[in-house]
Amino acid sequence: MALGHNAHATEYVQFQTGFQPSDEEEDGALSSDDPLLGGASSSSRLPAVSTNWRKAWRATFKRGPGFESTRVNHQFTADERIKLNNVESIDYLAPNSAMYRKWLYRQPHRRYWDRWIMMGTIGVVTGLVAHFLYVIINAAAAFKYGTTRWLIGHTNMGVAWLFNVVVSTVMVLLSSVMVVGWAPEAIGSGIPEVMAYLNGCMLPKVFNILTVAVKFLSCGLAVGSGLPVGPEGPLIHIGAALGSALSQGHSTTLGFSTGLFKRFRNPKDKRDFVTAGVSVGVAAAFNAPIGGLLFAFEEVASFWQHSLGWQVFFACMCATLTLNLSKSAGRAILGGGHFGWFDQEVTFEQVGMSFSSHILAVVPAALIGALAGILAILFTVLNLKVVRVRDALLSAAGISGGSLRAWRRCIEPVVLTVLYVTLCMVTPLFFPCTPTECFIDDGGEMQCETGLSGGGGVGNTTIPTNAPSLSLYTCRVVDHPAGSNSSTTWIPHGDSIMPDLPGNGTKTVYYNQLATLLFATGEDGIKHLFARGTHRRFNYGTLAVMFVTYFLGAAVFAGSAISSGLFVPMLMIGAILGRTVGLITVDVAQSLGGSWSVETFGPWTWIDPGAFALVGAGAFMGGVTRLTIALAVIMIEISSDVHMLLPVLVAIMTAKWVADAVTHSLYHGMLEVKCVPFLTPEPTSKYSLDLIPVSYVMRSPVVTLKPRMKVREITDALRGVSHNGFPVVRDSPSGQLFVGLLTRSHIMALLQRIVVAGSTEGMEVGWVELNRKMMDPVMAQRSVHEQQLVVLTRELQASLAGPSHDVLGGAGGM
């Protein structure tokens, strides 16, 4: 007997926690208050949230659900259990009825070419959407940062601060207004919701076309405004939504149908294409096709098949190819490159240095992993606490969806933006511009030095390299007249690293370390941290301030009323940690001297802060998300250096082990906060599941239906229980024989038809219509309102309750 989530989720919680529900709680709480529709009485509704702000604050910050080892199941409160019952399940395996078999017989068997075409289409469309999203982000960031730097150099800091605050606030306000007013489902990254759907939870409007459009625009504005957020999470959600929309060939929201791909309009195929959409979203976000495939396999997909893996890999390949081709075409049109040339997208900058791996690199990698695991615990708990505080305060203030007070949610991200932008403008003022040790050689070429002495067999006292291709926040030194209080002043000059203007009496290039990281998009900041051969580009003070800024900023902005993700902040935080440990390793190596000196070639080139920044980025992200295989592949794909594989693996696994001992992963924790009944592949139990009889999660006596029943008998059976699956049996000399199974939604569709028609003669509801209502949350919601006719017109049942009617047989048999 297949149970819906209303019974399944509750029984799962009972099995894990030993909770024994009362009679009222067993009834559940579904989409309607009438028991006929599977609802509960008014006495079991969710109680009103207390308006006492102090109690809400204390309840949120007390030690509780945030600190739970992965070996411990989450403990839901009584109110949370009621919310769990409000989430319906998706029946990926249809009930084996005659009506379903009739529909299945008409479908082509073993035809795959249309699936391959659809997979390729999803990849191409997602790649194009990702390209346009990055165009919006880069254009907004270039306008914001470029104008701000020009104002600093030509006016004063106050004017530049005002412009920066106004532009950032306007973009964030537009981003917030769209999600609050048009599509609240677009708030956040969307990854937890996608995980829940692929796990079998029906969440309304998650893949709505309006949600996708709002997600796209809101994410572009939020990331372009310079906040510590990233576009990767929303891209995954967008890819999943495109996989859902393209494969179904119709839109419930827009009210049209193309008539194409009708055979894919079933829960199983839709689930497969959503899985493909998740993979291509990751592939487009990180330019990592193999990592995208492994991400869906490891993290989000609860159902996987061998054939699906090949098709998803093809989709990821199409997405990566489309994204790179569109980027190269854009550069070619603007005169900055050649069409089809992909060499411009290099994440790991190498400036004149080779790299080799060494067994000793495992030691700092393990240290980075342990520290990343501890910081991931703090980051996860802080995120969940902030979400709970925000929900408690919004509930206490009466701010809920659909009310005028909901617009007050837009205030929070705007205020946070003003504070964050002000912090980014003020803190670099406390960090004077420093020389880069770059100079112009006799041939007119710029050469830079790492500032590392020793040589270690190179034969010189410093390591000259080519100038970095990444833009630094360069400064121009201006000498003050004699007698002034200060001797020099630093102001920005140009958009890329270059020598000072003639007249300064020096060819040294100056730059501001903190401004280089803060006055750029998150991805550019990560590239700076990953750059090799730049050992002294950022000192300990700069890295510490940047770490605190991004750590707190990412935790506060996550979950606010904008569409944004956490992948870029996680990579940034981890890269800062890794680069700090790498800088310590450099200092230790230089203090020991001799064979430990830093080299450009040889066995000690692994002692590089940029290399360890990559290790730290993977370790921290692994500690937060608990990804392992997919994350290791993604980090290697974006670095293009397989020599880093062993240190990356050690750091990721160490971070995962440390974080698993204290907390659940961030996305699983978000699902628990949202009260979504996410079922893990292997639930934690004190005893082996083989020792638990199946009757433990079943209900007795079983409520069954017969092939021929009166309408009154059917409605009484539906009101008597809250579960959604009803076995159909027929009597025989040897006892009752199981014929098939009907779901509550199918029976309600039949009753609705009967009430409207006033008769059961020739009554039949096709599988396509029933299946569409079962798999589409929007149609399911509409169906509930339509089925109110059954409740409001009960007097018609009396006229139909006379002779026996073959209600179930009229539906097509079992």
Side-chain angles (χ1 to χ4, degrees):
M1 175 179 176
L3 299 178
H5 252 305
N6 301 308
H8 190 188
T10 303
E11 292 168 349
Y12 173 78
V13 172
Q14 295 169 16
F15 169 68
Q16 299 299 325
T17 64
F19 171 73
Q20 297 298 328
S22 62
D23 294 338
E24 291 79 13
E25 288 173 321
E26 285 184 344
D27 291 335
L30 302 181
S31 54
S32 173
D33 290 336
D34 192 279
L36 184 65
L37 303 179
S41 61
S42 59
S43 61
S44 61
R45 295 178 186 173
L46 185 66
V49 179
S50 173
T51 58
N52 190 316
W53 293 60
R54 183 176 301 177
K55 289 183 178 180
W57 188 271
R58 290 178 177 176
T60 304
F61 272 98
K62 69 179 181 180
R63 189 186 188 281
F67 295 94
E68 293 176 326
S69 168
T70 54
R71 296 182 291 273
V72 177
N73 294 294
H74 180 72
Q75 302 294 320
F76 290 99
T77 65
D79 292 344
E80 289 175 336
R81 290 189 182 98
I82 297 177
K83 292 182 180 180
L84 286 173
N85 287 337
N86 289 329
V87 181
E88 287 291 338
S89 65
I90 302 174
D91 294 327
Y92 288 131
L93 300 177
N96 189 17
S97 63
M99 182 173 52
Y100 170 69
R101 291 194 295 269
K102 184 190 301 183
W103 172 85
L104 190 63
Y105 178 77
R106 295 194 296 266
Q107 306 307 310
H109 183 56
R110 301 185 66 84
R111 191 178 76 182
Y112 299 109
W113 62 266
D114 52 351
R115 296 181 64 89
W116 286 93
I117 291 177
M118 178 52 61
M119 290 291 182
T121 303
I122 295 172
V124 171
V125 174
T126 305
L128 291 174
V129 171
H131 171 66
F132 290 125
L133 179 61
Y134 283 119
V135 168
I136 294 176
I137 293 173
N138 294 331
F143 168 73
K144 172 182 174 313
Y145 291 122
T147 307
T148 300
R149 294 190 64 176
W150 187 91
L151 290 174
I152 294 176
H154 293 78
T155 58
N156 57 66
M157 185 64 68
V159 175
W161 169 84
L162 181 61
F163 170 82
N164 198 354
V165 168
V166 170
V167 172
S168 300
T169 300
V170 170
M171 287 194 288
V172 172
L173 180 61
L174 292 176
S175 174
S176 181
V177 166
M178 284 189 291
V179 297
V180 172
W182 296 341
E185 294 79 13
I187 293 177
S189 66
I191 295 179
E193 288 77 7
V194 174
M195 292 173 58
Y197 172 83
L198 293 178
N199 194 247
C201 300
M202 183 181 291
L203 302 179
K205 299 185 179 180
V206 172
F207 301 138
N208 189 285
I209 186 64
L210 182 60
T211 302
V212 177
V214 170
K215 194 94 177 181
F216 177 84
L217 297 175
S218 176
C219 175
L221 293 172
V223 179
S225 66
L227 299 182
V229 296
E232 287 77 12
L235 261 180
I236 294 173
H237 186 187
I238 291 173
L242 291 175
S244 171
L246 294 174
S247 63
Q248 301 306 292
H250 70 87
S251 173
T252 306
T253 304
L254 301 180
F256 77 92
S257 176
T258 62
L260 302 175
F261 306 109
K262 288 185 177 180
R263 81 182 191 97
F264 296 148
R265 296 178 186 177
N266 60 83
K268 179 181 178 300
D269 286 330
K270 182 179 179 180
R271 177 198 68 202
D272 292 343
F273 289 117
V274 170
T275 302
V278 171
S279 299
V280 299
V282 176
F286 294 101
N287 204 16
I290 303 177
L293 168 66
L294 294 177
F295 178 85
F297 172 76
E298 182 179 358
E299 179 66 8
V300 298
S302 299
F303 302 88
W304 193 265
Q305 296 175 340
H306 183 73
S307 59
L308 179 62
W310 289 105
Q311 295 165 0
V312 170
F313 179 74
F314 173 70
C316 292
M317 180 192 70
C318 293
T320 306
L321 179 63
T322 302
L323 177 63
N324 287 306
L325 281 177
S326 57
K327 285 184 176 181
S328 65
R331 288 191 296 266
I333 293 174
L334 298 177
H338 301 280
F339 177 73
W341 185 26
F342 300 162
D343 249 2
Q344 295 293 317
E345 299 299 325
V346 178
T347 301
F348 209 147
E349 182 189 35
Q350 303 184 46
V351 278
M353 296 185 68
S354 67
F355 186 82
S356 62
S357 185
H358 197 282
I359 187 61
L360 291 179
V362 173
V363 177
L367 176 61
I368 292 174
L371 295 175
I374 296 173
L375 292 174
I377 294 170
L378 299 177
F379 187 77
T380 300
V381 173
L382 181 59
N383 267 275
L384 297 179
K385 293 294 185 182
V386 169
V387 172
R388 292 183 184 275
V389 168
R390 181 180 290 115
D391 292 343
L393 296 180
L394 291 177
S395 299
I399 300 177
S400 58
S403 65
L404 293 177
R405 291 185 177 183
W407 292 102
R408 296 183 184 178
R409 291 204 64 180
C410 301
I411 299 176
E412 179 203 0
V414 170
V415 173
L416 294 177
T417 300
V418 174
L419 296 176
Y420 180 78
V421 172
T422 302
L423 182 66
C424 292
M425 292 287 292
V426 172
T427 50
L429 299 178
F430 298 94
F431 290 79
C433 289
T434 55
T436 62
E437 299 188 19
C438 292
F439 60 92
I440 306 299
D441 60 18
D442 295 336
E445 297 294 332
M446 181 181 296
Q447 298 293 331
C448 299
E449 298 174 355
T450 62
L452 301 175
S453 60
V458 179
N460 55 0
T461 57
T462 57
I463 304 177
T465 63
N466 295 325
S469 60
L470 297 170
S471 299
L472 298 179
Y473 193 87
T474 55
C475 308
R476 176 159 50 95
V477 179
V478 178
D479 293 328
H480 284 269
S484 61
N485 294 330
S486 58
S487 59
T488 56
T489 300
W490 290 276
I491 60 176
H493 180 271
D495 293 328
S496 61
I497 184 169
M498 60 182 299
D500 301 319
L501 292 177
N504 291 331
T506 178
K507 291 184 179 181
T508 303
V509 178
Y510 289 85
Y511 73 106
N512 187 296
Q513 296 184 15
L514 187 58
T516 298
L517 296 176
L518 287 177
F519 278 72
T521 61
E523 293 187 358
D524 287 340
I526 294 172
K527 290 180 181 180
H528 275 293
L529 297 172
F530 283 1
R532 293 184 188 169
T534 58
H535 298 58
R536 304 294 183 183
R537 182 177 292 183
F538 306 105
N539 58 33
Y540 293 108
T542 299
L543 295 175
V545 173
M546 189 66 185
F547 176 85
V548 174
T549 302
Y550 245 78
F551 192 91
L552 297 179
V556 172
F557 277 102
S560 60
I562 56 175
S563 176
S564 61
L566 283 173
F567 280 7
V568 165
M570 286 189 289
L571 292 175
M572 175 71 80
I573 295 169
I576 295 172
L577 171 64
R579 192 173 183 94
T580 302
V581 175
L583 196 56
I584 296 174
T585 306
V586 169
D587 290 338
V588 172
Q590 284 193 291
S591 66
L592 295 177
S595 61
W596 286 88
S597 298
V598 180
E599 300 176 339
T600 54
F601 299 94
W604 307 109
T605 54
W606 58 270
I607 306 178
D608 191 307
F612 286 112
L614 179 71
V615 176
F620 184 78
M621 188 172 174
V624 175
T625 63
R626 313 302 158 82
L627 290 170
T628 53
I629 304 173
L631 182 57
V633 172
I634 289 175
M635 301 310 295
I636 297 304
E637 283 186 293
I638 66 176
S639 66
S640 302
D641 196 338
V642 74
H643 292 97
M644 292 297 300
L645 181 59
L646 180 59
V648 168
L649 291 177
V650 171
I652 290 176
M653 288 305 303
T654 304
K656 173 180 168 56
W657 288 333
V658 172
D660 277 345
V662 182
T663 64
H664 293 178
S665 70
L666 177 61
Y667 294 127
H668 287 191
M670 288 293 185
L671 289 172
E672 293 162 0
V673 172
K674 295 174 183 291
C675 297
V676 177
F678 184 87
L679 304 182
T680 58
E682 296 182 3
T684 303
S685 175
K686 295 181 180 180
Y687 308 100
S688 172
L689 295 183
D690 294 333
L691 301 177
I692 308 297
V694 69
S695 60
Y696 189 87
V697 293
M698 304 299 290
R699 300 182 66 172
S700 179
V702 179
V703 178
T704 61
L705 302 178
K706 297 180 179 180
R708 301 178 63 86
M709 297 179 67
K710 297 180 179 180
V711 173
R712 171 72 69 179
E713 296 173 344
I714 296 177
T715 56
D716 290 343
L718 296 181
R719 287 195 179 94
V721 293
S722 62
H723 59 258
N724 289 337
F726 296 89
V728 180
V729 299
R730 63 179 176 86
D731 296 327
S732 69
S734 59
Q736 291 185 330
L737 297 179
F738 176 75
V739 180
L741 184 138
L742 283 177
T743 62
R744 182 185 294 269
S745 60
H746 289 190
I747 299 174
M748 290 305 303
L750 288 172
L751 294 178
Q752 177 186 339
R753 288 287 187 89
I754 292 173
V755 170
V756 174
S759 173
T760 61
E761 297 298 329
M763 188 60 59
E764 182 174 350
V765 180
W767 168 256
V768 175
E769 179 182 349
L770 294 177
N771 179 61
R772 185 181 178 187
K773 291 182 178 181
M774 179 180 65
M775 66 182 294
D776 193 329
V778 177
M779 285 296 297
Q781 282 188 336
R782 293 180 182 178
S783 177
V784 169
H785 295 295
E786 294 172 357
Q787 290 165 3
Q788 297 290 346
L789 291 172
V790 179
V791 180
L792 297 177
T793 58
R794 293 174 183 169
E795 62 273 8
L796 293 179
Q797 296 177 358
S799 61
L800 299 175
S804 178
H805 297 286
D806 189 6
V807 177
L808 302 183
M814 295 303 300

